[in-house]
Amino acid sequence: MTADSRRLSVRLDSLAANVRRYREAARGLIACVDHDGFGHGLVPVARACLEGGADLLAVADFDEALRLRDAGIAAPLLALRPTGAVADGLGVQAAVATQREADDATALGASGAHVVIDCGGAPRGIRPDDRGAFEAIAGAVPPVALMGVADARTRHAAASAALHEAAALAPELSRHLHGTAGVLAGYGADDAYVRVGRGLYGIPLPDGTSTGAPVARLTGQVVTVKRILAGEGVSYGYIYRAPEDGTIALVTCGYADGVPRSIGNRATVLVDGCPARVIGRVAMDVVVIDVGDAVVHAGDEVVFLGDPAAGEPTVSEWASITGFDPVEIAAAMGPRVVRSYTR
């Protein structure tokens, strides 16, 4: 089992093309590259987003902002939380929802605040009519934009109305609210920016709606191939027993790498162009697959997730099995999965 037997291959050209699609639908685009570019790799993803026309990059915190500055990326940055390292003089803005966060942003050297507005059921943000809270934030850090947030159950039209109401707090400030789902529903064109995350990476909406071309391919590697006799059990707890004699393979990638434990006995992977079912419990490092009649050898590549146009398994399939949002699965790939980049 080699150190690079688990790989996440990212197509930066596909990512840039997705960025261009969302940029063309709006006056401006905030590309969400937070949390290490949704697990795809912060710096390469950020550069591809800028290549595609992103106007501003949203990072998780000031630590990620410093990583981009250290990599020579000079684009405008928005830290979604005012936490982390000091970035004084580096031109990093911060999303701010309370006076305490405003004080934190000032202490970390934020150049301005995107004041967070609760536009419907959001766990964070001031009310659209709370002038006192807005003025308290503005007294600590200069406001540069109004950043609307809403619960996923809030209708886009209702959230837009709430942000329009908040505009009375500071009519001169730019505004942004809608993300991937909003853009696909036809909203956000009149705002200064749309704020897009999953759509840049081609991660489907929770209902399976496509958001763009998939950009990542998760693969493992066959470690061993062996025969199994009817009645023999596989993996922890023997939740799978072979119904007949057959052939199985042990494959790198387990739940420590982001493969959900609950896909055992339910999901399929692709090996040598043929589908193979994951059988038994997913272990920390490996899974077992039933390879049927396929001729499989140690070292062969196994595709866990990829491009449905190429007949490869998709994150939507895992989402339907697990009940997770596809973005939870896509962003959960572990740190030992080696990232590689192509164009």
Side-chain angles (χ1 to χ4, degrees):
M1 185 185 308
T2 60
D4 62 349
S5 63
R6 307 166 177 88
R7 301 195 71 88
L8 187 73
S9 303
V10 181
R11 286 286 304 271
L12 296 178
D13 55 346
S14 296
L15 196 153
N18 288 338
V19 172
R20 282 191 289 272
R21 175 190 177 194
Y22 285 94
R23 179 63 182 83
E24 290 167 359
R27 293 166 56 191
L29 173 67
I30 297 175
C32 295
V33 300
D34 51 302
H35 297 89
D36 200 38
F38 280 47
H40 293 69
L42 177 63
V43 173
V45 162
R47 287 182 172 142
C49 286
L50 294 173
E51 176 186 322
D55 300 282
L56 189 152
L57 302 174
V59 294
D61 50 29
F62 280 67
D63 289 334
E64 286 194 338
L66 283 182
R67 285 176 59 192
L68 292 184
R69 291 293 187 247
D70 287 344
I73 293 175
L77 301 179
L78 168 64
L80 296 175
R81 292 279 181 176
T83 60
V86 175
D88 191 32
L90 296 182
V92 182
Q93 301 168 356
V96 172
T98 64
Q99 183 172 2
R100 179 174 180 176
E101 287 189 349
D103 292 338
D104 291 342
T106 298
L108 294 175
S111 62
H114 290 232
V115 181
V116 181
I117 308 295
D118 177 5
C119 293
R124 182 180 179 221
I126 68 172
R127 296 191 315 274
D129 62 349
D130 194 340
R131 182 166 295 278
F134 176 82
E135 291 178 350
I137 291 171
V141 60
V144 296
L146 300 178
M147 175 179 168
V149 293
D151 182 270
R153 294 168 293 185
T154 302
R155 293 182 180 274
H156 296 293
S160 294
L163 188 62
H164 181 75
E165 179 186 1
L169 297 172
E172 75 282 3
L173 296 184
S174 60
R175 304 190 299 272
H176 54 95
L177 165 65
H178 295 287
T180 302
V183 174
L184 295 179
Y187 291 91
D190 294 332
D191 293 340
Y193 303 102
V194 291
R195 194 173 65 244
V196 180
R198 74 169 76 212
L200 308 183
Y201 310 95
I203 302 170
L205 297 181
D207 64 4
T209 300
S210 174
T211 65
V215 306
R217 188 171 184 263
L218 176 67
T219 59
Q221 192 175 88
V222 173
V223 179
T224 59
V225 181
K226 62 177 286 187
R227 294 289 291 172
I228 187 171
L229 301 179
E232 287 188 316
V234 167
S235 194
Y236 300 114
Y238 294 159
I239 64 171
Y240 173 88
R241 289 186 179 275
E244 57 188 13
D245 294 356
T247 304
I248 62 174
L250 189 69
V251 179
T252 56
C253 272
Y255 62 77
D257 307 302
V259 179
R261 297 201 74 182
S262 54
I263 70 166
N265 292 337
R266 303 173 73 184
T268 59
V269 296
L270 207 64
V271 55
D272 194 29
C274 300
R277 187 159 65 106
V278 177
I279 55 175
R281 295 189 191 278
V282 173
M284 182 181 291
D285 301 313
V286 293
V287 301
V288 180
I289 61 174
D290 178 358
V291 300
D293 297 327
V295 178
V296 177
H297 304 93
D300 285 353
E301 180 183 80
V302 176
V303 182
F304 283 85
L305 295 173
D307 186 352
E312 296 172 342
T314 69
V315 69
S316 287
E317 294 170 15
W318 284 14
S320 66
I321 291 171
T322 63
F324 296 151
D325 186 317
V327 79
E328 296 178 72
I329 296 170
M333 305 306 166
R336 66 181 177 180
V337 176
V338 177
R339 275 67 171 170
S340 62
Y341 303 92
T342 61
R343 291 187 177 273

